[in-house]
Amino acid sequence: MTNRTQRAERRTDALSKERIVEAAIAILDESGESALTFRALAARLATGSGAIYWHVANKDDLLAAATDDVVARVVTDVDDGAEPRAAIRTVALGVFDAIDAHPWVGTQLTRAPWLAAMPRIFEAIGGRLQALGVPERAWFDSVSALVNYILGVAGQNAANARLHAHGTGREALLGAVAAQWARLDPARYPFVHRVAEQLPAHDDREQFLAGIDLILAGVTATLPAGTRTGSDGSRASRS
Amino acid sequence: MTNRTQRAERRTDALSKERIVEAAIAILDESGESALTFRALAARLATGSGAIYWHVANKDDLLAAATDDVVARVVTDVDDGAEPRAAIRTVALGVFDAIDAHPWVGTQLTRAPWLAAMPRIFEAIGGRLQALGVPERAWFDSVSALVNYILGVAGQNAANARLHAHGTGREALLGAVAAQWARLDPARYPFVHRVAEQLPAHDDREQFLAGIDLILAGVTATLPAGTRTGSDGSRASRS
DNA sequence: ACCTGAACACCGTTCAAGT
DNA sequence: ACCTGAACACCGTTCAAGT
């Protein structure tokens, strides 16, 4: 009987998967992916490194749980009544911003795409494709295209953030890449030369959205005749 | 004088960055990313681990060189006279197949996108967008969309390959994911449920191409009026 | 100039021992 | 049932010492 109440009144500092994941996210956000070690985690939780293994299978399991935590927060609260294309843009931007705030999420998403976070993204986007009038046989290819694009950007941003952590600022990084591209043989890399000029000034978030709009334009263009409704979503948004 | 000829007649087993990269690729292909250690590399090259550091800055440098090696082979030999859309598909498929054959390339490409391999892909695809009539202000966003999509798929494939290495076969993996998706609450994940059925039967390569076609359809759809030529590349290819 | 290999400062993970 | 922390089997990287 007393056991019962004791368990209910469990001290808040008792170890649990939730508290471990929470601490892991804090370390990842504060100090980056390389700072998350079982020793650092144990120190922050004031326990032994072995204790963590009682609640978590291994480091991959821990990272998967942390990633799912962040993604779940983003994907769920999107207005259900919104126009499908707008809703897809909102979801995609949500994932983009989440990775901007937690770059390690980008790394995880591209390394372990089958984890719990993935169905969340699939559902959030896929449901809207359906509403858009995309025929069922094209569903899978269409979500897949959008999600793979999002994951590609996620990986890039995470990689850039890794450099930022090493001291390089965003401008310095873009400048260095632009300079490297400008140094390539113009005869063999004419296109890269032209694009290099646009690189330092471009806005990551705007370019991300432009890509989403491009894919949505493709989805709309391949819609069965007579189903097309609303704008084609290809307008370059400037806000 | 004798030094001169001696250097020219250097034994083929002398250490060099090329030989190190070659050995690294062999280890990566034969035994996967986790098998590439400086100790294993030193053993294969019959030298000390420290010797490798004379020719290579660190492990990242080594992986970047190995990746560039593989990508360079793929991207260069694409027919220059081909129709732009067909050429883009060829380049994309080349990268896809390279990652299929060397999954570790996918990991690297998504982790270090600014490396030497990236301008190669940008040029190969961007040049064709130009030929397609895409206006200059849309170049950057368009290549970026295509390349990010390719990188997204690259990451996925690499992740899947990591599982394959751990013993799980492709069918078993797809089956497990499909089963996991089918177990989700149908009320909250209706779309995922429907798509789960298509998952085990789908062809990765075809789906990849479908995504490329979707983006190309979007590029075509947003082309200035009067510029559109040829097919819109949106045909769902079944072979 | 280039190579050797022991040593350093770490990791993730395990496990006997405790409560 | 849960926690402790030393120990194990690794890593990437460095560096004095060799040739």
mmCIF file of all heavy atoms in Angstrom, chain A residues 126-169:
data_model
loop_
_atom_site.group_PDB
_atom_site.id
_atom_site.type_symbol
_atom_site.label_atom_id
_atom_site.label_comp_id
_atom_site.label_asym_id
_atom_site.label_seq_id
_atom_site.Cartn_x
_atom_site.Cartn_y
_atom_site.Cartn_z
ATOM 1 N N GLY A 126 1.220 14.244 -47.083
ATOM 2 C CA GLY A 126 0.434 13.362 -47.937
ATOM 3 C C GLY A 126 -1.056 13.668 -47.892
ATOM 4 O O GLY A 126 -1.738 13.659 -48.925
ATOM 5 N N GLY A 127 -1.551 13.936 -46.698
ATOM 6 C CA GLY A 127 -2.969 14.248 -46.566
ATOM 7 C C GLY A 127 -3.370 15.418 -47.444
ATOM 8 O O GLY A 127 -4.434 15.417 -48.064
ATOM 9 N N ARG A 128 -2.485 16.394 -47.534
ATOM 10 C CA ARG A 128 -2.782 17.586 -48.350
ATOM 11 C C ARG A 128 -2.669 17.315 -49.844
ATOM 12 O O ARG A 128 -3.340 17.953 -50.649
ATOM 13 C CB ARG A 128 -1.852 18.736 -47.961
ATOM 14 C CG ARG A 128 -2.389 19.592 -46.865
ATOM 15 C CD ARG A 128 -2.421 18.869 -45.542
ATOM 16 N NE ARG A 128 -2.953 19.648 -44.441
ATOM 17 C CZ ARG A 128 -2.465 19.602 -43.202
ATOM 18 N NH1 ARG A 128 -1.457 18.786 -42.912
ATOM 19 N NH2 ARG A 128 -3.008 20.334 -42.256
ATOM 20 N N LEU A 129 -1.801 16.409 -50.226
ATOM 21 C CA LEU A 129 -1.698 16.046 -51.644
ATOM 22 C C LEU A 129 -3.007 15.419 -52.094
ATOM 23 O O LEU A 129 -3.509 15.697 -53.191
ATOM 24 C CB LEU A 129 -0.538 15.072 -51.856
ATOM 25 C CG LEU A 129 0.859 15.676 -51.765
ATOM 26 C CD1 LEU A 129 1.917 14.582 -51.840
ATOM 27 C CD2 LEU A 129 1.088 16.681 -52.885
ATOM 28 N N GLN A 130 -3.512 14.567 -51.228
ATOM 29 C CA GLN A 130 -4.794 13.920 -51.471
ATOM 30 C C GLN A 130 -5.870 14.982 -51.682
ATOM 31 O O GLN A 130 -6.617 14.934 -52.662
ATOM 32 C CB GLN A 130 -5.106 13.086 -50.230
ATOM 33 C CG GLN A 130 -6.205 12.081 -50.359
ATOM 34 C CD GLN A 130 -6.286 11.211 -49.104
ATOM 35 O OE1 GLN A 130 -5.382 11.244 -48.255
ATOM 36 N NE2 GLN A 130 -7.353 10.445 -48.983
ATOM 37 N N ALA A 131 -5.918 15.966 -50.795
ATOM 38 C CA ALA A 131 -6.905 17.046 -50.878
ATOM 39 C C ALA A 131 -6.734 17.867 -52.148
ATOM 40 O O ALA A 131 -7.666 18.504 -52.632
ATOM 41 C CB ALA A 131 -6.791 17.947 -49.658
ATOM 42 N N LEU A 132 -5.527 17.831 -52.683
ATOM 43 C CA LEU A 132 -5.211 18.617 -53.870
ATOM 44 C C LEU A 132 -5.735 17.959 -55.144
ATOM 45 O O LEU A 132 -5.735 18.560 -56.213
ATOM 46 C CB LEU A 132 -3.683 18.767 -53.960
ATOM 47 C CG LEU A 132 -3.092 20.050 -54.517
ATOM 48 C CD1 LEU A 132 -3.597 21.245 -53.737
ATOM 49 C CD2 LEU A 132 -1.576 19.974 -54.446
ATOM 50 N N GLY A 133 -6.168 16.709 -55.003
ATOM 51 C CA GLY A 133 -6.688 16.003 -56.158
ATOM 52 C C GLY A 133 -5.676 15.117 -56.854
ATOM 53 O O GLY A 133 -5.909 14.639 -57.964
ATOM 54 N N VAL A 134 -4.549 14.886 -56.215
ATOM 55 C CA VAL A 134 -3.557 13.976 -56.782
ATOM 56 C C VAL A 134 -4.138 12.563 -56.774
ATOM 57 O O VAL A 134 -4.640 12.112 -55.737
ATOM 58 C CB VAL A 134 -2.249 14.004 -55.961
ATOM 59 C CG1 VAL A 134 -1.254 12.977 -56.471
ATOM 60 C CG2 VAL A 134 -1.650 15.406 -55.976
ATOM 61 N N PRO A 135 -4.125 11.878 -57.914
ATOM 62 C CA PRO A 135 -4.692 10.527 -57.975
ATOM 63 C C PRO A 135 -3.889 9.553 -57.114
ATOM 64 O O PRO A 135 -2.677 9.700 -56.977
ATOM 65 C CB PRO A 135 -4.593 10.167 -59.460
ATOM 66 C CG PRO A 135 -3.536 11.061 -60.012
ATOM 67 C CD PRO A 135 -3.577 12.309 -59.203
ATOM 68 N N GLU A 136 -4.552 8.563 -56.576
ATOM 69 C CA GLU A 136 -3.925 7.668 -55.595
ATOM 70 C C GLU A 136 -2.629 7.031 -56.084
ATOM 71 O O GLU A 136 -1.679 6.904 -55.324
ATOM 72 C CB GLU A 136 -4.920 6.571 -55.173
ATOM 73 C CG GLU A 136 -4.305 5.573 -54.195
ATOM 74 C CD GLU A 136 -5.317 4.916 -53.281
ATOM 75 O OE1 GLU A 136 -6.531 5.124 -53.467
ATOM 76 O OE2 GLU A 136 -4.889 4.184 -52.371
ATOM 77 N N ARG A 137 -2.554 6.659 -57.371
ATOM 78 C CA ARG A 137 -1.344 5.996 -57.848
ATOM 79 C C ARG A 137 -0.135 6.937 -57.833
ATOM 80 O O ARG A 137 1.013 6.520 -57.857
ATOM 81 C CB ARG A 137 -1.555 5.402 -59.240
ATOM 82 C CG ARG A 137 -2.007 6.409 -60.271
ATOM 83 C CD ARG A 137 -2.189 5.846 -61.671
ATOM 84 N NE ARG A 137 -2.960 6.791 -62.485
ATOM 85 C CZ ARG A 137 -2.494 7.975 -62.914
ATOM 86 N NH1 ARG A 137 -1.278 8.360 -62.612
ATOM 87 N NH2 ARG A 137 -3.270 8.768 -63.639
ATOM 88 N N ALA A 138 -0.396 8.247 -57.781
ATOM 89 C CA ALA A 138 0.716 9.211 -57.773
ATOM 90 C C ALA A 138 1.070 9.672 -56.360
ATOM 91 O O ALA A 138 2.036 10.398 -56.168
ATOM 92 C CB ALA A 138 0.359 10.413 -58.643
ATOM 93 N N TRP A 139 0.290 9.230 -55.354
ATOM 94 C CA TRP A 139 0.531 9.678 -53.994
ATOM 95 C C TRP A 139 1.949 9.414 -53.522
ATOM 96 O O TRP A 139 2.654 10.313 -53.072
ATOM 97 C CB TRP A 139 -0.430 8.984 -53.011
ATOM 98 C CG TRP A 139 -1.816 9.509 -53.057
ATOM 99 C CD1 TRP A 139 -2.263 10.543 -53.841
ATOM 100 C CD2 TRP A 139 -2.933 9.031 -52.319
ATOM 101 N NE1 TRP A 139 -3.607 10.738 -53.620
ATOM 102 C CE2 TRP A 139 -4.046 9.825 -52.693
ATOM 103 C CE3 TRP A 139 -3.127 8.030 -51.384
ATOM 104 C CZ2 TRP A 139 -5.319 9.631 -52.147
ATOM 105 C CZ3 TRP A 139 -4.379 7.830 -50.832
ATOM 106 C CH2 TRP A 139 -5.474 8.624 -51.215
ATOM 107 N N PHE A 140 2.330 8.156 -53.641
ATOM 108 C CA PHE A 140 3.605 7.744 -53.062
ATOM 109 C C PHE A 140 4.770 8.515 -53.684
ATOM 110 O O PHE A 140 5.628 9.060 -52.977
ATOM 111 C CB PHE A 140 3.787 6.232 -53.239
ATOM 112 C CG PHE A 140 4.847 5.631 -52.367
ATOM 113 C CD1 PHE A 140 5.348 6.302 -51.262
ATOM 114 C CD2 PHE A 140 5.347 4.360 -52.649
ATOM 115 C CE1 PHE A 140 6.325 5.742 -50.448
ATOM 116 C CE2 PHE A 140 6.324 3.793 -51.847
ATOM 117 C CZ PHE A 140 6.812 4.486 -50.756
ATOM 118 N N ASP A 141 4.786 8.583 -55.018
ATOM 119 C CA ASP A 141 5.872 9.298 -55.700
ATOM 120 C C ASP A 141 5.886 10.785 -55.318
ATOM 121 O O ASP A 141 6.950 11.383 -55.182
ATOM 122 C CB ASP A 141 5.719 9.167 -57.227
ATOM 123 C CG ASP A 141 6.072 7.765 -57.715
ATOM 124 O OD1 ASP A 141 6.601 6.964 -56.909
ATOM 125 O OD2 ASP A 141 5.828 7.475 -58.894
ATOM 126 N N SER A 142 4.713 11.362 -55.135
ATOM 127 C CA SER A 142 4.646 12.795 -54.842
ATOM 128 C C SER A 142 5.136 13.117 -53.430
ATOM 129 O O SER A 142 5.955 14.010 -53.249
ATOM 130 C CB SER A 142 3.208 13.303 -55.014
ATOM 131 O OG SER A 142 2.721 12.963 -56.296
ATOM 132 N N VAL A 143 4.636 12.412 -52.412
ATOM 133 C CA VAL A 143 5.160 12.646 -51.056
ATOM 134 C C VAL A 143 6.635 12.379 -51.024
ATOM 135 O O VAL A 143 7.392 13.134 -50.412
ATOM 136 C CB VAL A 143 4.617 11.694 -49.963
ATOM 137 C CG1 VAL A 143 4.103 12.472 -48.791
ATOM 138 C CG2 VAL A 143 3.695 10.676 -50.477
ATOM 139 N N SER A 144 7.004 11.284 -51.646
ATOM 140 C CA SER A 144 8.409 10.896 -51.648
ATOM 141 C C SER A 144 9.289 12.015 -52.207
ATOM 142 O O SER A 144 10.343 12.332 -51.649
ATOM 143 C CB SER A 144 8.569 9.610 -52.457
ATOM 144 O OG SER A 144 9.896 9.451 -52.851
ATOM 145 N N ALA A 145 8.830 12.640 -53.296
ATOM 146 C CA ALA A 145 9.608 13.733 -53.890
ATOM 147 C C ALA A 145 9.734 14.895 -52.915
ATOM 148 O O ALA A 145 10.829 15.417 -52.687
ATOM 149 C CB ALA A 145 8.952 14.186 -55.189
ATOM 150 N N LEU A 146 8.621 15.280 -52.328
ATOM 151 C CA LEU A 146 8.648 16.410 -51.391
ATOM 152 C C LEU A 146 9.507 16.096 -50.166
ATOM 153 O O LEU A 146 10.346 16.894 -49.753
ATOM 154 C CB LEU A 146 7.220 16.769 -50.965
ATOM 155 C CG LEU A 146 6.439 17.598 -51.992
ATOM 156 C CD1 LEU A 146 4.943 17.540 -51.741
ATOM 157 C CD2 LEU A 146 6.929 19.054 -51.968
ATOM 158 N N VAL A 147 9.300 14.916 -49.596
ATOM 159 C CA VAL A 147 10.039 14.563 -48.375
ATOM 160 C C VAL A 147 11.531 14.422 -48.667
ATOM 161 O O VAL A 147 12.368 14.901 -47.895
ATOM 162 C CB VAL A 147 9.478 13.269 -47.748
ATOM 163 C CG1 VAL A 147 10.382 12.787 -46.620
ATOM 164 C CG2 VAL A 147 8.070 13.501 -47.229
ATOM 165 N N ASN A 148 11.870 13.793 -49.771
ATOM 166 C CA ASN A 148 13.293 13.656 -50.089
ATOM 167 C C ASN A 148 13.948 15.009 -50.302
ATOM 168 O O ASN A 148 15.084 15.233 -49.884
ATOM 169 C CB ASN A 148 13.482 12.790 -51.338
ATOM 170 C CG ASN A 148 13.487 11.321 -51.010
ATOM 171 O OD1 ASN A 148 14.135 10.888 -50.059
ATOM 172 N ND2 ASN A 148 12.762 10.537 -51.790
ATOM 173 N N TYR A 149 13.210 15.920 -50.945
ATOM 174 C CA TYR A 149 13.739 17.279 -51.100
ATOM 175 C C TYR A 149 13.982 17.925 -49.741
ATOM 176 O O TYR A 149 15.049 18.492 -49.482
ATOM 177 C CB TYR A 149 12.781 18.132 -51.928
ATOM 178 C CG TYR A 149 13.121 19.597 -51.913
ATOM 179 C CD1 TYR A 149 14.228 20.071 -52.609
ATOM 180 C CD2 TYR A 149 12.364 20.503 -51.173
ATOM 181 C CE1 TYR A 149 14.562 21.419 -52.575
ATOM 182 C CE2 TYR A 149 12.682 21.849 -51.148
ATOM 183 C CZ TYR A 149 13.786 22.302 -51.846
ATOM 184 O OH TYR A 149 14.116 23.626 -51.807
ATOM 185 N N ILE A 150 13.002 17.801 -48.860
ATOM 186 C CA ILE A 150 13.135 18.383 -47.517
ATOM 187 C C ILE A 150 14.330 17.771 -46.782
ATOM 188 O O ILE A 150 15.114 18.476 -46.145
ATOM 189 C CB ILE A 150 11.826 18.171 -46.709
ATOM 190 C CG1 ILE A 150 10.694 18.993 -47.318
ATOM 191 C CG2 ILE A 150 12.025 18.537 -45.245
ATOM 192 C CD1 ILE A 150 9.327 18.709 -46.725
ATOM 193 N N LEU A 151 14.482 16.460 -46.900
ATOM 194 C CA LEU A 151 15.601 15.786 -46.239
ATOM 195 C C LEU A 151 16.942 16.228 -46.822
ATOM 196 O O LEU A 151 17.926 16.364 -46.103
ATOM 197 C CB LEU A 151 15.462 14.274 -46.361
ATOM 198 C CG LEU A 151 14.305 13.650 -45.604
ATOM 199 C CD1 LEU A 151 14.329 12.131 -45.756
ATOM 200 C CD2 LEU A 151 14.358 14.029 -44.128
ATOM 201 N N GLY A 152 16.955 16.463 -48.125
ATOM 202 C CA GLY A 152 18.191 16.933 -48.743
ATOM 203 C C GLY A 152 18.608 18.282 -48.179
ATOM 204 O O GLY A 152 19.761 18.476 -47.798
ATOM 205 N N VAL A 153 17.668 19.203 -48.098
ATOM 206 C CA VAL A 153 17.957 20.515 -47.517
ATOM 207 C C VAL A 153 18.350 20.362 -46.050
ATOM 208 O O VAL A 153 19.276 21.024 -45.571
ATOM 209 C CB VAL A 153 16.732 21.447 -47.652
ATOM 210 C CG1 VAL A 153 17.008 22.778 -46.978
ATOM 211 C CG2 VAL A 153 16.382 21.659 -49.114
ATOM 212 N N ALA A 154 17.660 19.467 -45.363
ATOM 213 C CA ALA A 154 17.968 19.216 -43.946
ATOM 214 C C ALA A 154 19.439 18.829 -43.779
ATOM 215 O O ALA A 154 20.134 19.340 -42.900
ATOM 216 C CB ALA A 154 17.076 18.107 -43.403
ATOM 217 N N GLY A 155 19.896 17.938 -44.643
ATOM 218 C CA GLY A 155 21.291 17.503 -44.556
ATOM 219 C C GLY A 155 22.258 18.649 -44.799
ATOM 220 O O GLY A 155 23.228 18.820 -44.067
ATOM 221 N N GLN A 156 21.956 19.453 -45.812
ATOM 222 C CA GLN A 156 22.803 20.607 -46.128
ATOM 223 C C GLN A 156 22.913 21.552 -44.941
ATOM 224 O O GLN A 156 23.999 21.962 -44.558
ATOM 225 C CB GLN A 156 22.198 21.391 -47.291
ATOM 226 C CG GLN A 156 22.132 20.625 -48.572
ATOM 227 C CD GLN A 156 23.227 21.063 -49.522
ATOM 228 O OE1 GLN A 156 24.353 21.327 -49.101
ATOM 229 N NE2 GLN A 156 22.898 21.149 -50.779
ATOM 230 N N ASN A 157 21.754 21.898 -44.392
ATOM 231 C CA ASN A 157 21.746 22.847 -43.286
ATOM 232 C C ASN A 157 22.508 22.308 -42.089
ATOM 233 O O ASN A 157 23.240 23.044 -41.420
ATOM 234 C CB ASN A 157 20.308 23.168 -42.883
ATOM 235 C CG ASN A 157 19.684 24.168 -43.818
ATOM 236 O OD1 ASN A 157 20.172 24.361 -44.929
ATOM 237 N ND2 ASN A 157 18.622 24.805 -43.395
ATOM 238 N N ALA A 158 22.316 21.037 -41.805
ATOM 239 C CA ALA A 158 23.037 20.432 -40.686
ATOM 240 C C ALA A 158 24.540 20.486 -40.945
ATOM 241 O O ALA A 158 25.324 20.781 -40.045
ATOM 242 C CB ALA A 158 22.573 18.996 -40.489
ATOM 243 N N ALA A 159 24.926 20.230 -42.190
ATOM 244 C CA ALA A 159 26.355 20.265 -42.528
ATOM 245 C C ALA A 159 26.908 21.673 -42.366
ATOM 246 O O ALA A 159 27.985 21.875 -41.815
ATOM 247 C CB ALA A 159 26.563 19.767 -43.958
ATOM 248 N N ASN A 160 26.141 22.658 -42.824
ATOM 249 C CA ASN A 160 26.569 24.052 -42.664
ATOM 250 C C ASN A 160 26.695 24.421 -41.192
ATOM 251 O O ASN A 160 27.640 25.096 -40.790
ATOM 252 C CB ASN A 160 25.583 24.987 -43.358
ATOM 253 C CG ASN A 160 25.661 24.875 -44.865
ATOM 254 O OD1 ASN A 160 26.666 24.412 -45.412
ATOM 255 N ND2 ASN A 160 24.597 25.262 -45.544
ATOM 256 N N ALA A 161 25.738 23.959 -40.400
ATOM 257 C CA ALA A 161 25.764 24.260 -38.972
ATOM 258 C C ALA A 161 26.999 23.651 -38.318
ATOM 259 O O ALA A 161 27.574 24.218 -37.391
ATOM 260 C CB ALA A 161 24.503 23.739 -38.300
ATOM 261 N N ARG A 162 27.410 22.484 -38.785
ATOM 262 C CA ARG A 162 28.623 21.862 -38.246
ATOM 263 C C ARG A 162 29.821 22.768 -38.481
ATOM 264 O O ARG A 162 30.686 22.888 -37.629
ATOM 265 C CB ARG A 162 28.882 20.502 -38.911
ATOM 266 C CG ARG A 162 28.476 19.312 -38.050
ATOM 267 C CD ARG A 162 28.973 18.005 -38.649
ATOM 268 N NE ARG A 162 28.442 17.760 -39.984
ATOM 269 C CZ ARG A 162 27.274 17.182 -40.224
ATOM 270 N NH1 ARG A 162 26.524 16.771 -39.240
ATOM 271 N NH2 ARG A 162 26.853 16.997 -41.454
ATOM 272 N N LEU A 163 29.853 23.419 -39.636
ATOM 273 C CA LEU A 163 30.948 24.358 -39.908
ATOM 274 C C LEU A 163 30.836 25.594 -39.033
ATOM 275 O O LEU A 163 31.815 26.081 -38.487
ATOM 276 C CB LEU A 163 30.942 24.761 -41.381
ATOM 277 C CG LEU A 163 31.574 23.776 -42.335
ATOM 278 C CD1 LEU A 163 32.023 24.478 -43.596
ATOM 279 C CD2 LEU A 163 32.751 23.055 -41.711
ATOM 280 N N HIS A 164 29.607 26.099 -38.884
ATOM 281 C CA HIS A 164 29.403 27.258 -38.019
ATOM 282 C C HIS A 164 29.966 26.972 -36.641
ATOM 283 O O HIS A 164 30.627 27.804 -36.038
ATOM 284 C CB HIS A 164 27.914 27.584 -37.907
ATOM 285 C CG HIS A 164 27.353 28.205 -39.141
ATOM 286 N ND1 HIS A 164 26.121 28.791 -39.179
ATOM 287 C CD2 HIS A 164 27.863 28.339 -40.375
ATOM 288 C CE1 HIS A 164 25.895 29.252 -40.400
ATOM 289 N NE2 HIS A 164 26.933 28.975 -41.137
ATOM 290 N N ALA A 165 29.684 25.769 -36.147
ATOM 291 C CA ALA A 165 30.158 25.392 -34.819
ATOM 292 C C ALA A 165 31.680 25.459 -34.745
ATOM 293 O O ALA A 165 32.245 25.777 -33.706
ATOM 294 C CB ALA A 165 29.679 23.983 -34.485
ATOM 295 N N HIS A 166 32.317 25.182 -35.855
ATOM 296 C CA HIS A 166 33.778 25.214 -35.880
ATOM 297 C C HIS A 166 34.310 26.646 -36.008
ATOM 298 O O HIS A 166 35.471 26.843 -36.347
ATOM 299 C CB HIS A 166 34.320 24.350 -37.016
ATOM 300 C CG HIS A 166 34.354 22.912 -36.674
ATOM 301 N ND1 HIS A 166 35.414 22.314 -36.051
ATOM 302 C CD2 HIS A 166 33.436 21.924 -36.821
ATOM 303 C CE1 HIS A 166 35.169 21.044 -35.853
ATOM 304 N NE2 HIS A 166 33.973 20.775 -36.317
ATOM 305 N N GLY A 167 33.448 27.628 -35.830
ATOM 306 C CA GLY A 167 33.921 29.009 -35.788
ATOM 307 C C GLY A 167 33.603 29.819 -37.028
ATOM 308 O O GLY A 167 33.532 31.035 -36.965
ATOM 309 N N THR A 168 33.370 29.127 -38.159
ATOM 310 C CA THR A 168 33.102 29.862 -39.386
ATOM 311 C C THR A 168 31.700 30.465 -39.359
ATOM 312 O O THR A 168 30.739 29.772 -39.109
ATOM 313 C CB THR A 168 33.188 28.920 -40.609
ATOM 314 O OG1 THR A 168 33.992 27.808 -40.264
ATOM 315 C CG2 THR A 168 33.748 29.635 -41.797
ATOM 316 N N GLY A 169 31.587 31.722 -39.637
ATOM 317 C CA GLY A 169 30.287 32.367 -39.708
ATOM 318 C C GLY A 169 29.614 32.058 -41.032
ATOM 319 O O GLY A 169 30.244 31.533 -41.953
#
